[in-house]
Every structure is written in C-alpha cells, then in structure tokens.
Amino acid sequence: MQVRIIDTVARDSFHEVFNAALLVMCLRLFGRAEYHCHPSQRRCLERLLERHGYAADVSRVAFRRVRVVRREGPAGCVCRYAAAALRSGWRLVRSRPGELVVFNYNNPLALPLLDLLNGFLHRRVLIVCHGELELLAGRSPWWRASGWFARILRRAFGRTRLDRNLRFCVLGKSILRNLRPYLSEAECAALFAIDHPGFFEGEPAEPLPHDTLRVGSRWGQLTPAKGLDRILRLSRQIPVPLTVVGRTYGFCDHARWPEVALRGRDRKTASSRANASSGRPPHLDYHSFRLRSGVPTG
C-alpha cells in the first residue's frame, strides 16, 4: 500500500513539527510517501528533518506542489479554507485506488465535500484533527467564520453518518474521552487516538537571567479555552511583569492588562518559529497546558 499525504492549508512553518513527524511515521510504515504541500512548507519540513537526522528519508518522498491562499484576517481565513477544501477534493479524486490518503489537517469546509466524494471513490482516508475540535464545545456567533465551522463540525460528527471509509485521528487519549459527549455513537467508532508526535532534544535549555516571567503554550495558539484568561488573572497576583510568548487569540482588551506583554501576535514571529523548530521553547519559565474541563482539542 502507498500513502498520499495532502496538506492544502499550511504555509511556511505552520504545523511543521507535527507534519514532519507524521511524515517520518508514514515513511517507517510504508517506505515511501507522496506529499502534497506548499513549497514554503516543503522547505521548512526538509530543514527540520535534516536538523534532526532524517535527511536521508527526504529522498523517499515525492513532493507535489499545492497552492495555498496567503491572505490573513477573517476574510483571508475563509478564502484560504474554501480554496483548500476545493483543492482537497480535487486531489482526493486524483488519488489512486489502494492508496491511503492522509489529510494532516481537518479543514471543516472540506469535510462535507470529502464525505460526498468518497461515497463514490471508496478511498481509505485518514483525517488528523487539531484545535478545530474546540468548536464542538464553544458557542461561536453565527456571523463569524468559527460559527459556520462549528455548525459543519457538529452536523458531521453529531447528526449524520460519515462515509465508512473516513477515519479520524486525535492527538491524545484524553482528547478522545472529552470528545465522546459531542459525537454520535456511529462516529465514535470512526475516531482513534495517538500520542502527539514531535522531535525532542534531551538536554534542557540553559536558563538566562531576566526580570520577567515568561509563559509559553505548546498547544498552538494560546486561547481562553487553553488558559489565557487564567494567565491574565494570575498577572494581577504576582509581583513581576508577565510576558506571554507565542500566538494568542481571543484577547483584544490590551489596555485593561498593561502589566502583560504579548509577544508573537503575528504568527510569523521569530519566537514562534524558534519554538516550533526546536521541539522546546527557549528560555521559558512555564508552559501552559491548562484546558477548561471537558474541552476537546487537538
């Protein structure tokens, strides 16, 4: 069996650690892989694999170019996901019978199309779920993109029966347990869990003297569901300045929290890239792994 990995969402270093680790896993299982991604993502994957001693494995990967919308902001997000959904469907149609087709990012807009197409194609499809599953538990306004994404996910996982050849992977057994209240009985059987793969270095970073408390998150964006609100309240109770390193989302009232310095509001900050590529954030005092009870995330 051959494996075809399709990524129609990622550019640059987005999800590069997970994507590279997933690629290595597929190479170990199948020997060779066909990888569809944007050229900037390919360059990041190749550098990461070379840095961690997997340079020889790159020769066993046949890369295929994918166009990805670059625009940012709410409108750009909708355009990127809509274009990615169409490209995902087209590449599923172009896949060969007998292949395992892996989508390493669960695009909510692509899910109904993939379900429809695979009813005719009967491909073996694996979709990896990430933080979009938080939308199952939240209450997003209907006029926001997240509101539409949430409605699609709830309908797909809670009210309908997806094609029997679609399988979904979540990154942790606790996530799978938290998901069960939001899934229909039929869809529970379509999900399984693995540990989040990555690259880790054995030696801890050397501490550097500094006069601020630095907090980082290894759960992608640091959001209120992932403990951002608790960190902000903590800043009122500690006697030192607080710096949040990495991307945050859902934090707009900066004037109310002058004692908190936010680094990495832009997804392309050097700190975010360094955190992702090294496997461990440099010079952080604490990592935030705090999640609200019962929140499913990936």
Side-chain angles (χ1 to χ4, degrees):
M1 180 185 294
Q2 294 182 325
V3 60
R4 175 186 298 234
I5 305 173
I6 300 175
D7 187 348
T8 58
V9 174
R11 292 181 64 106
D12 303 312
S13 62
F14 181 77
H15 276 196
E16 65 171 350
V17 172
F18 170 79
N19 291 343
L22 177 67
L23 176 57
V24 171
M25 292 169 60
C26 290
L27 290 175
R28 292 291 183 267
L29 292 171
F30 300 97
R32 302 189 64 84
E34 187 172 294
Y35 200 103
H36 298 243
C37 66
H38 189 268
S40 64
Q41 172 81 174
R42 172 182 177 175
R43 291 190 293 269
C44 289
L45 295 180
E46 290 176 337
R47 286 195 297 265
L48 186 61
L49 291 173
E50 181 178 358
R51 185 160 58 248
H52 289 279
Y54 294 97
D57 292 323
V58 176
S59 63
R60 295 189 284 128
V61 182
F63 284 99
R64 300 289 184 263
R65 180 188 179 97
V66 174
R67 292 185 178 183
V68 177
V69 175
R70 191 178 185 86
R71 289 184 60 188
E72 301 292 339
C77 174
V78 173
C79 290
R80 181 168 63 254
Y81 279 72
L86 295 176
R87 290 179 178 128
S88 295
W90 172 242
R91 288 175 189 268
L92 178 63
V93 170
R94 295 290 302 274
S95 66
R96 295 179 287 272
E99 283 185 328
L100 173 63
V101 182
V102 178
F103 291 93
N104 57 8
Y105 189 84
N106 181 21
N107 176 1
L109 294 185
L111 194 52
L113 179 60
L114 297 179
D115 179 46
L116 175 65
L117 291 174
N118 212 48
F120 300 97
L121 297 172
H122 307 297
R123 301 291 192 261
R124 298 181 64 180
V125 177
L126 173 63
I127 300 175
V128 182
C129 302
H130 295 276
E132 75 284 344
L133 295 181
E134 297 173 23
L135 297 174
L136 292 173
R139 292 185 177 181
S140 301
W142 65 268
W143 62 86
R144 297 182 60 176
S146 57
W148 286 97
F149 290 176
R151 291 181 64 182
I152 293 173
L153 290 173
R154 291 189 188 113
R155 182 175 182 82
F157 286 110
R159 303 178 197 170
T160 62
R161 183 176 180 86
L162 295 171
D163 181 76
R164 60 186 178 87
N165 289 312
L166 294 183
R167 293 292 184 268
F168 299 86
C169 173
V170 298
L171 304 177
K173 293 182 179 178
S174 61
I175 297 171
L176 187 58
R177 287 195 301 269
N178 289 341
L179 275 171
R180 294 194 183 278
Y182 304 97
L183 302 176
S184 66
E185 185 175 345
E187 299 312 327
C188 282
L191 276 82
F192 66 95
I194 64 171
D195 291 332
H196 196 305
F199 303 97
F200 304 95
E201 300 177 13
E203 297 182 2
E206 290 293 330
L208 294 179
H210 51 271
D211 57 0
T212 62
L213 185 64
R214 295 190 175 98
V215 179
S217 171
R218 294 301 293 164
W219 289 91
Q221 294 182 111
L222 184 56
T223 66
K226 298 175 184 177
L228 176 59
D229 51 348
R230 290 169 172 81
I231 290 175
L232 294 176
R233 289 198 296 269
L234 176 65
S235 69
R236 293 281 173 86
Q237 303 175 26
I238 57 177
V240 295
L242 176 67
T243 299
V244 177
V245 181
R247 266 191 105 197
T248 59
Y249 179 80
F251 177 64
C252 302
D253 193 3
H254 302 282
R256 185 183 172 195
W257 307 94
E259 62 272 31
V260 179
L262 291 183
R263 294 177 54 193
R265 295 180 196 171
D266 182 358
R267 73 171 62 194
K268 297 177 183 176
T269 59
S271 61
S272 298
R273 287 198 301 266
N275 293 352
S277 61
S278 67
R280 52 175 168 78
H283 316 314
L284 296 182
D285 300 294
Y286 292 95
H287 294 181
S288 171
F289 291 99
R290 180 63 182 253
L291 293 175
R292 290 176 179 168
S293 177
V295 173
T297 188

